[in-house]
Structures are given as C-alpha cells and as structure tokens.
Amino acid sequence: MAVVLESLARLSVLVFVVTSMLAMGLNLTVAQILAPLRDLRRVATALLANFVLVPVLAYAILVVIPLSQAQSIGLILLATAAGAPFLPKLVETAKGNLAFGVGLMVLLMVVTVAYVPVVLPLLLPGVEVVPLDIASSLVVLMLIPLAIGLVVKARYSDVADSVQPAVNQTSSTALILLVVLMLVLNFQTVLSVIGTGVILALLLFIVASFAIGWALGGTEVDNRSVMSLGTAQRNVSAALVVGAQNFADPNVLVVLIVGAMLMLVVLLPLGGELGRRTAPSTESPERERMTVED
C-alpha cells in the first residue's frame, strides 16, 4: 500500500508542476511576465532577499537552535535553492500580481541553477553539485510547459482561453492530492524529528523568510505578497536533487521533506488570508493595465 501511495505522490508532483506551469503560460503573455522584471530595483531586491539574506538567516537560526550536522545541511540546502514551482499557485491564492509571480519564479529558478553549484561547495566543503542535473529537471518540468502555454496563448488565444480553466483545475486537484499524500506518507517522518529542534528551526526559517520578503516588497500589496511568498517558498525539488546526490545520511532528506510539508501548511493558509485581505482597489496600476490589455 505504501508503494502505491508513494507512486501516487510522485505522479501528483509531476502533474501539479507541469499543469500549473502550463496553466500560467495559457493565462499570460511573455510581455506580461517580463514587464515586472524590467524594474531593476525590484530584481536586485529579490536576488538580495533570496540569495544573500535567506542563507544568512539559516546560519543565524543554526546558531540559536543547534541541529545535527545532517539536519543543518538540510536547512542550508533549502536556504540556497529558490524559484519553487509552487509559487504561482501561492500567488494566485493570495490574489497577488500573477505575472510578477511567474516572472520571479523563472528568475529565481534560473539563478538557482547557476548559484547553487558555485555557492554550496563554499558553504558545505566536500559537496559536488552537477548543474546539469538540477537544470534538466527544472527545464523539462517547468520551463518547457510554461513555454508551450505561452506559445499557445500567443498563436491560438481562443484555444488557450478555453483550455486554461480545465488545466488549472487539474493543477489544483493534483495539489490537494499531494498535500494529503504528503501528510499520510510522512507522518512518521514528522514524528521522528519532534524534540530535535528541526520543526522549530524550519518554522522560524519560513516565517522569517516571509518577513524578509514582505519588508523588501515595496508598497503595493499585490507585489509585496509575491515577494514575501517567493522568498519563503524554497525550491525543494532542486534541494532534493542536490541532497540525494551528495549525502548518504537520510536525515538530510528528512529535513527537506518536513520543510516542504511545513511550507505547504504555513504558506497556503497565509496566502489565502492575504487574498481575503486584498481588496480589488489595491491592485497596482501595472496589473490593471495587464487586465485591460487582455
């Protein structure tokens, strides 16, 4: 039974990532995604938050909450990997600037592929990271479906508009199934780290990362929610690739799995609360222009 559930979990991850990226592409244009990234100050702030402040935060947490070597490695892996495929769904839940969310995800994902192989060996001596292994999974599962959706949207807009709701519903269903399966399959894993400080350290890491993004997100609520959620939601997929290839101690992967679960548990409701507090009048002029153009 466990084998079947694990297979379903892996399948739900693939379906969620591919369909969510495809749905984003079917709903947006390349110009809409690139427009928010023309703001160099915003881009620089996002890079500062995700690739400087969050790793520093992880080290600070490890000073306050000492963990085992393997558990510390897991937290550092999360801190260095950004650009999660889950971000657009969180942004959608929070009623944030979706185009900025997708653009930020792509930006952070591409930088992660270049950043992790260079920085991680400096932070964790002895670690060897193959950029192609990280890049290949991200490109195949995320960038290609996004590109297909963008092409269909650009050339066959009517088809994109008619198909997008069904693709988006499939993504949401896969996400619900994924959350349930992760809770069922990893319940014992969560129990195994109770009392070790891992859960406290991860919760502090998620909340503080969210606060960093919120503080640096500017004044517009829909952009601020994107920055905060984008900083708090780490790229667990990339971290798992590195962790599985470089570390034999299972506690490294345990931290990544528990971290992934806690991010879902914390950030999904938080995104929903942001969405309820976001009134239509708070939409930025940039987003309003996108709506008119559509």
Side-chain angles (χ1 to χ4, degrees), residues 13 18 23-24 29 55 59 66 70-71 78 86 101 135 179 211 219 237 262 285:
V13 170
V18 172
M24 294 305 105
T29 66
Y59 269 99
Q71 293 167 345
L78 284 177
F86 190 50
V179 172
T219 58
S237 300
L262 290 177

Side-chain angles (χ1 to χ4, degrees), residues 42 45 100 212-220 223-225 227-228:
R42 182 186 295 174
T45 300
F100 178 35
I212 289 172
W214 185 265
L216 298 178
T219 58
E220 296 175 353
N223 287 333
R224 207 172 191 182
S225 62
M227 186 73 81
S228 56

Side-chain angles (χ1 to χ4, degrees), residues 116-133:
V116 170
V118 174
V119 173
L120 203 56
L122 300 177
L123 300 178
L124 302 172
V127 174
E128 295 182 2
V129 181
V130 182
L132 185 60
D133 292 335

